[in-house]
C-alpha cells in the first residue's frame, strides 16, 4: 500500500469530503446516485480504500454542490512545503 494512501493529508482530505457531504445532509447513497455509481464507491472513497483521480474529484465535488477549489483550499499544505504560484512571470 502506498504511503500517501493513509497519510495525514489524505485522511484530512477524506474528512473534508465526509464533512461536505454531511453538511449538505446527504447520504452516501444519495451522492452515489448523483454520480450514477454504487453506494460502495462513495464508502470506499470516504474509507480510504479507493483514491480519486482529478476528474472523479471534480465530479464528486459537483455532486456535493461544492466548488473543488474550496475543498482544495481547506486542505493544509504538507509541512515545509512552499506554496507555488502558477501565474506566468510576465
Amino acid at each position: 500500500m502506498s504511503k500517501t494512501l493513509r497519510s495525514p493529508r489524505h485522511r484530512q482530505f477524506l474528512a473534508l469530503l465526509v464533512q461536505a457531504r454531511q453538511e449538505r445532509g446527504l447520504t452516501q447513497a444519495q451522492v452515489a446516485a448523483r454520480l450514477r455509481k454504487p453506494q460502495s464507491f462513495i464508502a470506499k472513497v470516504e474509507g480510504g480504500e479507493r483514491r480519486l483521480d482529478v476528474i472523479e474529484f471534480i465530479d464528486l465535488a459537483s455532486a456535493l454542490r461544492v466548488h473543488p477549489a474550496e475543498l482544495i483550499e481547506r486542505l493544509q499544505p504538507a509541512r515545509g512545503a512552499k506554496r507555488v504560484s502558477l501565474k506566468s512571470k510576465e
Side-chain angles (χ1 to χ4, degrees), residues 2-60:
S2 169
K3 285 184 176 183
T4 61
L5 188 58
R6 303 253 189 226
S7 71
R9 290 184 72 217
H10 188 249
R11 288 192 304 269
Q12 179 193 18
F13 174 67
L14 298 178
L16 289 171
L17 293 177
V18 172
Q19 180 182 12
R21 178 179 58 75
Q22 292 174 341
E23 285 174 352
R24 284 148 185 82
L26 297 169
T27 65
Q28 289 181 347
Q30 290 168 320
V31 175
R34 290 178 180 186
L35 294 170
R36 296 190 173 121
K37 302 253 186 203
Q39 176 273 331
S40 61
F41 173 83
I42 301 301
K44 287 178 181 179
V45 168
E46 289 184 358
E49 295 176 51
R50 188 187 189 292
R51 294 187 69 109
L52 297 171
D53 68 27
V54 69
I55 302 302
E56 291 171 325
F57 167 67
I58 292 168
D59 291 346
L60 178 55

